[in-house]
Amino acid sequence: MKRRNTSFFHLARPRPLGLVVVGTLLATASAQAQTTPAPPAVLGQPAAAPSGPWTLQAAVDYAVAHNLTVRQSELTAQQQAAVTRLNRAALLPTAALNGTQSFSFGTNKDPFTNQFQAVNVRANNFSAQGQVTLFSGFQLRNTIKQGVLDAQATLADVEKARNDLSLNVASSFLQLLLAQELIRASEARMSTVREQVSRSEKLLKAGAVAEGNVLDSRAQLAGEERTLVTAQNQLALAQLALVQQMNLDPATARRFEVVVPTLPDPSTLTTASGELDPNATYEIARQKLPEIKAAELRVLSSQRNLDIAKGGYYPRLTMAGGISTGFSSVRNQSVLRTDKFNLTPVYQVDPAAPLGYSPTTYIIPQPAFDVLPYRFLDQLRDNRGEFLQFTLQVPILNGLQTRVGVQRAQINIQQSEVRAEQTRLQLRQSIEQSYADALAAQRRFAASSRQVEALALAFRNAEIRFNNGLLNGTDFNIARNNLTAAESDMIQAKYEFFFRRKVLDFYQGKPLAL
C-alpha cells in the first residue's frame, strides 16, 4: 500500500505534475518560443468559442485573442508606433499663431508711439511664427531610424507573448489529458477491486477464505476510491488553470470539454531522426524566433543611439520667420481734406530795410487734416512687420555631456550584443534540453511498458492465488501497488514525451495540434 500511494501521489499531486509539465515549460521552453504558425488575432476581432469540445489549436487561438498579457503587449507596440510617427514629425517645421488683447488704465505707454498718455488703452497684438531645423548633426534622422527599429522589436515582443501563452496553454491542455487518463485508469482498477470484494465476500460465506481476505479487499477498494478522488481533484485544477489562461467566460467554462486525441505509441516514433535533430531545429528557430529577432533589432537600435549621441558634436542650424501686427485704441489718424485749406500768414523781413519798414506779409494756404480714430483693419495693415532669422549654434564645451553620452552609447551597444548572444545561447540550450528530455521520456515509456506487461502477468498470477487462498492480502496488495505505480509512470512518460515533442515541433514552425 505504501509503495502504490507514494508513486501515485508523486504523479497525481498538482505541484509535482506541474514540475514535470508546466515547470519544465516555464524553465526551458516558454521563454524561447518561436513565431506562431497561425496568423495572429486581430485586435477587435477575437476568436469565437467553439460550440463543441475544444481542440488544442482552438484553445490556443482563443487564448491568444483574449489573454490580457498579450493585449498589453499589443498596446505597447501601438504606443511605440505612435512614438515613431512623432519622431518623423520632428522633421516638419513648427508654426504658431499668437493673439493678445490687453486693457490698460491710467498713465500708460502707447505700444506704437512709445508716448505716455493718461488715458485708458485697449491694445491687440497678432503674430505668426515658424521655425525649421536645417541641420542637427543627423540626430533627427537617426532618431527616426531608431524608432523604427524599436517599433519592430516591440512587434516581436508581441509574438513572443503569444508564443509563451501558446506553450503554456499546450502544457495545461496536456496536463488535463493526463488527469483524464489517470481517472480512466483509476476507474478501471476500482471496477476490478469491486469485483474482487464481491468475490471475496462470496468465498467468505462459502467458508473458502478467511475474513482477513475480505477486509484486505475492502481496504484496497477504499484506497482506490481515494486515488480516484485525487485524480479528479487534479483534473479540476488542470481545467481551472487552462480556463484561466484562456480568459474564458465563466458561463462557457462550466461546460468546458476538450477533444481527446488518439496519441500514437511513443516507442514507435523516431526522435533521433534528422527531423528532430537539435542543430537543425536550432537553425530553424534562430531564423524565426521572435526573441532572437527582437534582440538583434535592439542591437541595431543601440547603434543608432550611438549615432544620435555623436550628433551632439556637430553644429545646429535653424531658420525662423514670422509676421506681426497690432492695434491701439488711442492711436489717431490724420486724413487730408481736399475741400478745405488752412490760410497761414508768413512774414518776410528785409534785413537791409530802414527802420520803421513794415515786413511783407504773405498768405500761404496749408492743407487741412481731420484727426479721426485709426480704424482697426487699417492699423493691422499699417503696423505689419516681418522677420527672417537664421540661428547657428556651435558646441564648444557643455560639461563633457556629449563625450560621456557617446561613451555610454558604446557601452550600451556591447550590452545589447551580450543580451542577444545570451538569448541565442538560451535558445540552443532549451532545444538541446527539450530533445534530451523527449528522448529520455521515450526510453522511460518503453521501459515502463515492459514493466507494466511483466507486472500485469505477475498480478494476474497473484490474483488467482489470492482467490484460492494461497496468497495473503499484504502480498496481493503489494502486487497491485506495483502494477499501479508502473501504469502511472508509463502514462506520465507518455505525456511528457508528447509535450517535449510539441515543443520541438513548435520551434520548427509547426502548428500546435495533437
Side-chain angles (χ1 to χ4, degrees), residues 72-93:
Q72 184 65 35
S73 300
E74 292 171 341
L75 293 176
T76 301
Q78 293 178 4
Q79 187 178 35
Q80 184 59 47
V83 172
T84 303
R85 292 193 298 270
L86 185 62
N87 293 338
R88 287 195 178 99
L91 291 175
L92 301 176

Side-chain angles (χ1 to χ4, degrees), residues 92-128:
L92 301 176
T94 59
L97 295 175
N98 300 315
T100 62
Q101 177 168 300
S102 61
F103 298 92
S104 302
F105 307 95
T107 302
N108 298 283
K109 186 194 313 185
D110 190 309
F112 298 100
T113 64
N114 289 326
Q115 295 179 354
F116 286 94
Q117 301 179 19
V119 66
N120 297 336
V121 180
R122 179 177 70 89
N124 296 94
N125 287 285
F126 303 98
S127 64

Side-chain angles (χ1 to χ4, degrees), residues 270-277 435:
T270 302
T271 58
S273 64
E275 179 185 2
L276 293 181
D277 179 65
Y435 177 80

Side-chain angles (χ1 to χ4, degrees), residues 6 139 156 197 202 245-246 327 364 375 403 455 498:
T6 302
Q139 288 181 325
V197 171
K202 292 179 181 179
Q245 289 172 348
M246 296 171 60
F327 167 81
I364 300 177
R375 291 184 296 180
R403 177 175 298 181
L455 291 176
F498 279 107

Side-chain angles (χ1 to χ4, degrees), residues 100 108 162 196 215 247 266 273 281 287 305 314 316 334 344 388-389 405 429 448 469 479 491 510:
T100 62
N108 298 283
R162 291 178 179 144
Q196 183 67 40
L215 297 178
N247 196 19
S273 64
T281 302
Q287 299 175 5
N305 188 51
Y314 292 90
R316 185 180 184 91
S334 298
T344 303
L388 181 64
Q389 174 181 303
Q429 292 175 348
S448 298
I491 294 173
K510 298 179 181 179

Side-chain angles (χ1 to χ4, degrees), residues 134-266:
L134 301 179
F135 182 74
S136 62
F138 305 105
Q139 288 181 325
L140 294 179
R141 295 188 179 276
N142 286 323
T143 300
I144 293 174
K145 295 177 181 179
Q146 184 187 32
V148 172
L149 294 173
D150 291 338
Q152 294 174 353
T154 55
L155 290 177
D157 291 339
V158 173
E159 292 302 319
K160 177 184 180 301
R162 291 178 179 144
N163 293 339
D164 291 347
L165 177 63
S166 299
L167 284 178
N168 284 330
V169 170
S171 174
S172 298
F173 194 93
L174 288 173
Q175 185 179 356
L176 191 147
L177 294 179
L178 172 59
Q180 290 181 343
E181 188 161 344
L182 290 174
I183 289 176
R184 289 192 294 269
S186 180
E187 290 175 345
R189 289 194 299 270
M190 281 190 59
S191 177
T192 302
V193 174
R194 286 194 184 97
E195 293 177 358
Q196 183 67 40
V197 171
S198 178
R199 187 183 305 110
S200 298
E201 291 175 346
K202 292 179 181 179
L203 292 175
L204 177 62
K205 292 180 180 180
V209 296
E211 184 179 4
N213 289 357
V214 177
L215 297 178
D216 289 337
S217 298
R218 290 175 179 175
Q220 185 71 24
L221 178 60
E224 290 296 340
E225 290 176 348
R226 181 178 181 275
T227 299
L228 177 60
V229 170
T230 302
Q232 290 173 343
N233 292 337
Q234 177 183 341
L235 175 62
L237 293 176
Q239 179 174 323
L240 177 61
L242 180 58
V243 167
Q244 290 178 344
Q245 289 172 348
M246 296 171 60
N247 196 19
L248 198 61
D249 181 72
T252 307
R254 283 193 292 269
R255 54 180 185 276
F256 185 83
E257 296 180 359
V258 298
V259 176
V260 180
T262 301
L263 300 178
D265 189 344

Side-chain angles (χ1 to χ4, degrees), residues 32-50:
Q32 306 297 335
Q34 71 170 64
T35 304
T36 306
V42 180
L43 290 180
Q45 299 179 1

